[in-house]
Amino acid sequence: MAGFSVGEWVLLTSQKGKKWLVKIEDAPYSCHLGTIHMTDVVGREEGDIIETNTGAKLFLFRVSLEDYILNMKRQTQIIYPKDLAAMVFHADLHPGQTVLESGVGSGALTLCLLRAIGDGGRLISVEKRPEFAAQAMENVSRYFGAKHPAFHLVIGDIQDFSLRGPVDRVFLDLPEPWHAVAPVSRVIREGGLLLSLSPNVGQVQWMWRELKARGFANVSTFELLKRDWKIDELRARPFDRMVAHTGFIMVARKVRRNRPDVPPLQSSSA
Ligand SMILES: C[S@@+](CC[C@H](N)C(=O)[O-])C[C@H]1O[C@@H](n2cnc3c(N)ncnc32)[C@H](O)[C@@H]1O
């Protein structure tokens, strides 16, 4: 890959792993380890080291989607990387698919969906708060460098949403996702997957009832616990603190309508 150029973002990383996401422009950048002039980064390769004016060494890396999401502007809670990764995988997302998402919030999930479906896919994202929609649009465009061709942002309430043509996947991150199940069940194609993330188990139970009533099967519910470890010459143990809870992920599949041979819904987790 070519060296860094003006206008790009670079991830400056200290020897201790502290990270700064900085735009490459004709300006100095200072942190507690000293100052570098950002134009000195131009032409260097990923993994190179640059020295600050105090002699501290910083690695130069390109920004991963995880780094970007954790550093972007946000006015809402976002879905954390461990859950984003699992949702994209369990949805069996691939390039070219049509996806419906609500709410959009700051756009963390939106970014992952767009990366997975690519330019040839179609993402319809429904958000009822215009100020959050504007922030998400800015976060998405800043990441991709321009408006993403697959991204269609709709300001409105998912409960009033209607769409012509089926979608392959639905993603919900809403305070009351069960109210969205009826409208999305009319647009998701048979065999399509619906994923929902909720922090409270009460929400999950409401969702389960609604999914059951609206013709979804293979409903599974899980949460993921990620425990980071501290490893160095002297220590190999878990960190004292962890993010113990983020949310429950639900995955369900739409069954064919009006088929007497379709068995009644059962939870796939025993
Ligand atoms: C937790 S945030 C979503 C965060 C987002 N998934 C992310 O990763 O950045 C929930 C969003 O749902 C939106 N919302 C709540 N109810 C809604 C509804 N009925 N229709 C559309 N959007 C809704 C809120 O305005 C908020 O922006």
Side-chain angles (χ1 to χ4, degrees):
M1 211 170 169
F4 287 100
S5 55
V6 174
E8 237 192 287
W9 291 84
V10 60
L11 190 74
L12 303 173
T13 310
S14 76
Q15 309 286 302
K16 287 190 172 172
K18 185 141 180 49
K19 298 171 182 176
W20 299 271
L21 204 155
V22 188
K23 194 163 194 176
I24 304 175
E25 51 198 2
D26 189 5
Y29 182 78
S30 298
C31 62
H32 72 282
L33 295 174
T35 301
I36 58 169
H37 204 282
M38 291 311 294
T39 48
D40 292 342
V41 173
V42 175
R44 293 184 193 243
E45 304 281 334
E46 258 199 292
D48 273 357
I49 290 173
I50 194 166
E51 275 193 26
T52 69
N53 63 332
T54 63
K57 292 180 170 51
L58 301 176
F59 295 114
L60 305 175
F61 293 117
R62 283 206 161 79
V63 178
S64 70
L65 185 51
E66 178 181 9
D67 295 320
Y68 182 80
I69 285 172
L70 294 177
N71 283 283
M72 70 188 188
K73 276 195 208 152
R74 53 198 207 216
Q75 302 170 46
T76 65
Q77 179 62 265
I78 59 164
I79 301 181
Y80 278 101
K82 70 176 172 75
D83 297 316
L84 291 170
M87 289 173 83
V88 167
F89 181 77
H90 284 280
D92 194 31
L93 270 187
H94 41 266
Q97 282 180 321
T98 298
V99 177
L100 172 63
E101 170 203 30
S102 187
V104 182
S106 306
L109 177 61
T110 312
L111 283 159
C112 298
L113 300 178
L114 287 169
R115 266 255 299 243
I117 63 173
D119 291 1
R122 187 162 172 246
L123 173 65
I124 303 127
S125 300
V126 184
E127 167 58 53
K128 73 173 180 184
R129 300 265 302 261
E131 71 277 24
F132 296 160
Q135 182 65 68
M137 180 57 93
E138 186 188 315
N139 286 340
V140 169
S141 300
R142 202 167 68 122
Y143 179 75
F144 290 105
K147 188 181 177 309
H148 195 287
F151 188 33
H152 305 272
L153 183 54
V154 178
I155 297 173
D157 192 317
I158 187 69
Q159 292 180 50
D160 308 325
F161 186 72
S162 66
L163 182 77
R164 241 179 304 135
V167 302
D168 300 303
R169 304 288 183 258
V170 171
F171 288 82
L172 302 175
D173 182 10
L174 296 164
E176 297 185 340
W178 53 92
H179 291 313
V181 175
V184 304
S185 71
R186 290 191 281 271
V187 297
I188 190 169
R189 71 165 168 80
E190 282 129 356
L193 283 144
L194 177 150
L195 286 91
S196 178
L197 181 122
S198 299
N200 296 300
V201 77
Q203 295 167 301
V204 168
Q205 236 174 351
W206 276 103
M207 254 320 251
W208 187 87
R209 284 191 203 106
E210 194 61 20
L211 289 167
K212 184 177 173 179
R214 301 279 171 190
F216 286 86
N218 288 15
V219 183
S220 63
T221 305
F222 58 92
E223 66 172 319
L224 297 168
L225 307 181
K226 175 172 176 271
R227 191 162 69 147
D228 288 310
W229 282 58
K230 193 173 187 67
I231 307 283
D232 60 27
E233 290 81 357
L234 300 173
R235 290 163 292 195
R237 62 170 177 79
F239 277 96
D240 301 326
R241 290 158 195 259
M242 68 184 278
V243 178
H245 178 65
T246 53
F248 302 101
I249 296 171
M250 297 188 86
V251 185
R253 277 201 109 143
K254 189 76 175 81
V255 298
R256 193 160 283 282
R257 276 176 267 249
N258 307 324
R259 285 272 302 269
D261 52 328
V262 173
L265 175 70
Q266 287 178 350
S267 178
S268 65
S269 37

